[in-house]
Amino acid sequence: MRAKDVLLAEDDLDDLLHFQIAIKGIEIPVVLRHAKDGEVLFALLKEAIPDILFLDIHMPCRNGVSCIMEIRQNRMYDNMPVIILTSHKHQSYVDLTYRTGANFYLVKPNTVYDLVEKLKMIFSVDWEKSMYYPPKSEYLIA
């Protein structure tokens, strides 16, 4: 099985560590790349389009909302799943990112175990077969 190329755009180092630990628990081979802000994210996207992008909303340089808007305006990224990964559960963010084309909105869990379980669900989608845009009632993973 080919390792999944996963790109995490996250400025908080504690959240990065949490994600790194959790990704090992999904039992799928993963190569994890990291962008500390929106500018680095777009530089890494130019190098290689990941199999899946996890995107924080609040980052320096460019926030996640402006990043998702720019990503969905570029046909080159049409087949790239974008998962919002944030601690913010504000309905306005959920609505905005849903409308702008994110595939899921994952609220950062408090434990690594909970994050592993949610990641397993996200990785169970066959993203290579087809892009999955859930109905709004299934978009928020909290």
Side-chain angles (χ1 to χ4, degrees), residues 22-76:
I23 206 81
K24 291 177 184 173
I26 65 169
E27 301 174 0
I28 295 171
V30 169
V31 174
L32 180 63
R33 296 185 293 146
H34 173 244
K36 65 179 180 173
D37 60 42
E39 295 298 320
V40 174
L41 167 63
F42 281 97
L44 291 175
L45 286 175
K46 286 178 184 172
E47 290 176 13
I49 298 172
D51 294 313
I52 192 164
L53 168 63
F54 289 87
L55 179 62
D56 187 23
I57 286 183
H58 292 290
M59 295 185 298
C61 299
R62 289 188 200 178
N63 67 35
V65 173
S66 67
C67 288
I68 186 72
M69 293 173 87
E70 186 172 336
I71 286 167
R72 289 305 183 220
Q73 290 175 3
N74 188 328
R75 307 273 316 160
M76 192 166 68

Side-chain angles (χ1 to χ4, degrees), residues 1-5 51 79 81 125-131:
M1 176 187 274
R2 177 182 75 79
K4 297 283 186 192
D5 178 15
D51 294 313
N79 296 320
V125 174
D126 188 355
W127 297 105
E128 292 175 10
K129 186 175 181 182
S130 66
M131 285 296 286

